[in-house]
Amino acid sequence: MSTLPLPTPAPDPDAAADLRTAGDPVALPAHQPDAGDLAALAARAAGDDLLSPPARLDDVVPAPERVEADPGVTFVLDGDTAIRVTAQADAQQVADHLARLLRPATGFPLPVADTLAADPSGTLTLTLAGTTPPPSGTDAGRADLGAEGYRLDVTATEVRVVADTATGLFYGVQTLRQLLPAAVESPTPVAVRWALPGGTILDRPRFPYRGAMLDVARHFFAVEDVLRVIDHLARYKLNHLHLHLTDDQGWRIAVDSWPKLATVGGATEVGGGPGGHYTKADYLRIVSYATDRHVTVVPEIDLPGHTNAALVAYPSLAPDKIAPAPYTGTEVGFSYVDPADEQTYDFIADVLGEVAALTPGPWLHIGGDEAFKVKGEVYTGFVERAQRLVADTGKTVVGWHQLAPAAHSDGRVLQWWGTDTDDPTTADAVRRGARLIVSPGNRAYLDMKYAEDTPIGHDWAGLIDVHRAYDWDPGTHVTGVPTTAVLGVEAPLWTESVTSLADIEFLLLPRLPAIAELGWSPRATHDWAGFRDRLAGHGPRWSTAGITFHRSPEIPWPATPTIPGQHGALQADPTTP
């Protein structure tokens, strides 16, 4: 079933002023605003701000490592604000990203200058560590920020983000974005007082791998939908997108050496729809977009099971060498490539080689789950050979935790999706050198329903409301696996019942930020009451941006302000009548 976004009725322009309350954004005039318009509306917005103060410095998701607020200080963006950045190209790219985020809603030009020589007053400054001292009046000491950490200083005259890498600058920008009013997500100019609360944030991630998985095999999703998902990940400092590219219902990536995988194997999906596949150019577009947002794509080619679509395209890969019928149902465990045929390993080498060549990240995921008809030593022998083929591409193998009994290969990562935390086989694989990505089916599987009446999703692993998605610890979840062996956390979204972007967003949000906080924030900051209050402020942001989400009754959502001029842009919760 598909849940479609519901358009917001266009408000009566004459009634807009009556509907607006103190603190609501003020619409800019229909004509191109001049300096007088902006000044008058900004003055009104400033008056409203007396009743609606700026966000608190700790109103951030995921929760930062350290927050030192300065309650007497506020920085206000205006039409003269500029963005200054160090001269490095990757830092300049982050500055351009910041400008693109802020220009639509503010209407300000926000010019980007690749110099730090000018007077910093009235600027947003992005700098790589060592190029400039911290602002006057701030603590000169600086902790090691690492590969993804940042420091954000807000004074009355400057906002400065300092990081050791462009990735750290990017995450500092995401925090800066959250500290501005929710109207910053508007695609058209509105006038509010664009104030940021004063103080300092020092922030670094707990785990290096923080991700989500999108199943594009059960139902196929257009490139634009995948790019939108990447935006959601980047907003919450998630840095890996795992794409489940192949399954019984469809093969979704072009392989030049085996062309019918895409043209024949990609022509089906659950429910009998037309399916589809990504050309190499499509896939490279996804990878490039992700890279620009500091997200690593992890492609999955599921083996030896979940291969019906490949067998339809190439029957010689099947154990009986007979083409099966295309499959559009949702059962699992019935298909597999022939582990006794050398052609199978030629096929795997060709496919993995081509996918690896398109993928700049270090990982290749080979699946390995639910291969019920390939058992015992035959299964482990297959896995060990497939692991060597991954190594031949120069990548590191990732697989579902069913790979655990096979011999260890250098750097191997197991993705654990169990529901019973006692798993001696996986713990033994960790003792032999494996690392773990933790994705418990009853905590992190975002295709599970929120409640019994949720209109889409599954319940085989139980119901997962926001509290359940948040209230666990990836570092200690699997018995016998030390925190040092946990690479990170990932939230998979399987799409047997998911047919549209609105469906994807409805199941991702608001649970995805919960998983993001588990992956990023220090365990000492973990607090359900605080998280739910911080998360509540994101409802107006999503509404303003036209993002579908589930209005979970656990979260004290504020009333969404009316932003005139966004007629039809907002998307309602699909559970709302």
Side-chain angles (χ1 to χ4, degrees), residues 376-555:
E377 293 182 359
V378 175
Y379 175 81
T380 56
F382 175 91
V383 167
E384 289 162 8
R385 192 159 177 184
Q387 289 179 160
R388 291 194 293 272
L389 292 173
V390 171
D392 289 345
T393 71
K395 303 295 185 182
T396 298
V397 68
V398 185
W400 301 108
H401 71 267
Q402 282 74 22
L403 269 59
H408 180 66
S409 64
D410 188 40
R412 181 171 71 156
V413 175
L414 302 179
Q415 185 168 2
W416 189 86
W417 59 281
T419 57
D420 182 350
T421 59
D422 188 11
D423 185 345
T425 303
T426 295
D428 177 67
V430 168
R431 284 190 290 272
R432 289 184 283 123
R435 291 174 294 169
L436 228 56
I437 297 169
V438 188
S439 303
N442 55 358
R443 296 283 188 171
Y445 265 39
L446 300 189
D447 51 305
M448 295 299 114
K449 295 183 175 187
Y450 293 93
E452 291 181 357
D453 60 352
T454 304
I456 55 175
H458 306 295
D459 60 7
W460 64 262
L463 304 174
I464 302 179
D465 57 18
V466 184
H467 188 196
R468 186 163 181 80
Y470 181 77
D471 197 21
W472 62 286
D473 182 359
T476 60
H477 192 73
V478 182
T479 303
V481 174
T483 302
T484 53
V486 176
L487 186 65
V489 61
E490 181 179 294
L493 177 59
W494 302 98
T495 62
E496 291 93 338
S497 68
V498 175
T499 63
S500 68
L501 176 62
D503 288 350
I504 291 173
E505 292 181 338
F506 172 71
L507 290 174
L508 288 181
L509 301 170
R511 293 179 294 190
L512 186 68
I515 301 299
E517 182 147 312
L518 294 178
W520 178 278
S521 302
R523 189 63 186 171
T525 67
H526 189 82
D527 171 54
W528 165 244
F531 173 74
R532 65 192 287 271
D533 289 343
R534 284 181 285 115
L535 183 63
H538 290 249
R541 295 177 181 273
W542 298 331
S543 294
T544 301
I547 297 168
T548 303
F549 67 102
H550 170 56
R551 287 189 174 274
S552 168
E554 307 162 88
I555 308 302

Side-chain angles (χ1 to χ4, degrees), residues 361-373:
W363 318 107
L364 274 184
H365 201 303
I366 59 170
D369 63 320
E370 297 170 331
F372 298 145
K373 295 188 176 182

Side-chain angles (χ1 to χ4, degrees), residues 29-306:
H31 62 272
Q32 181 65 31
D34 58 23
D37 291 325
L38 288 171
L41 290 172
R44 175 177 172 181
D48 285 348
D49 187 60
L50 297 176
L51 298 177
S52 179
R56 300 190 330 174
L57 197 65
D58 57 0
D59 282 341
V60 177
V61 177
E65 178 180 327
R66 192 175 81 197
V67 176
E68 297 176 359
D70 188 346
V73 171
T74 300
F75 178 90
V76 180
L77 274 73
D78 59 28
D80 294 326
T81 300
I83 299 172
R84 300 187 316 146
V85 62
T86 50
Q88 292 92 333
D90 51 356
Q92 292 176 28
Q93 187 178 42
V94 177
D96 290 338
H97 176 78
L98 173 60
R100 290 194 300 271
L101 285 177
L102 302 185
R103 284 170 181 157
T106 65
F108 300 151
L110 295 170
V112 176
D114 60 350
T115 177
L116 299 181
D119 179 4
S121 179
T123 65
L124 308 177
T125 301
L126 308 181
T127 181
L128 294 178
T131 59
T132 185
S136 60
T138 63
D139 179 10
R142 185 183 64 81
D144 178 15
L145 298 172
E148 297 181 288
Y150 66 91
R151 174 176 170 144
L152 172 66
D153 291 294
V154 181
T155 70
T157 59
E158 183 189 15
V159 176
R160 177 170 297 195
V161 181
V162 179
D164 289 343
T165 66
T167 300
L169 289 181
F170 183 84
Y171 292 143
V173 162
Q174 301 312 310
T175 294
L176 187 160
R177 176 187 192 180
Q178 289 189 29
L179 294 174
L180 286 164
V184 75
E185 305 297 337
S186 172
T188 55
V190 293
V192 301
R193 187 168 184 260
W194 299 107
L196 289 100
T200 296
I201 291 175
L202 180 71
D203 205 9
R204 294 168 292 198
R206 181 184 183 194
F207 294 109
Y209 188 109
R210 307 173 305 280
M213 188 209 79
L214 180 62
D215 169 14
V216 297
R218 271 47 180 273
H219 281 101
F220 180 68
F221 295 93
V223 171
E224 290 73 16
D225 295 341
V226 179
L227 303 187
R228 174 105 158 188
V229 170
I230 291 169
D231 285 335
H232 296 329
L233 269 60
R235 181 189 294 260
Y236 295 106
K237 304 183 178 75
L238 293 161
N239 63 354
H240 288 81
L241 174 64
H242 169 185
L243 286 176
H244 184 74
L245 291 167
T246 69
D247 215 298
D248 293 314
Q249 298 84 353
W251 184 285
R252 305 303 183 204
I253 187 165
V255 178
D256 291 343
S257 54
W258 298 75
K260 291 194 290 185
L261 288 171
T263 58
V264 176
T268 51
E269 64 182 9
V270 168
H277 71 274
Y278 304 119
T279 65
K280 287 192 170 182
D282 291 335
Y283 182 76
L284 287 172
R285 182 183 169 200
I286 292 169
V287 167
S288 176
Y289 191 90
T291 299
D292 287 347
R293 286 149 185 82
H294 300 268
V295 172
T296 298
V297 173
V298 182
E300 180 187 351
I301 306 297
D302 207 347
L303 298 162
H306 291 277

Side-chain angles (χ1 to χ4, degrees), residues 5-24:
L6 303 176
T8 298
D12 177 354
D14 295 329
D18 296 329
L19 292 172
R20 194 164 48 240
T21 59
D24 285 349

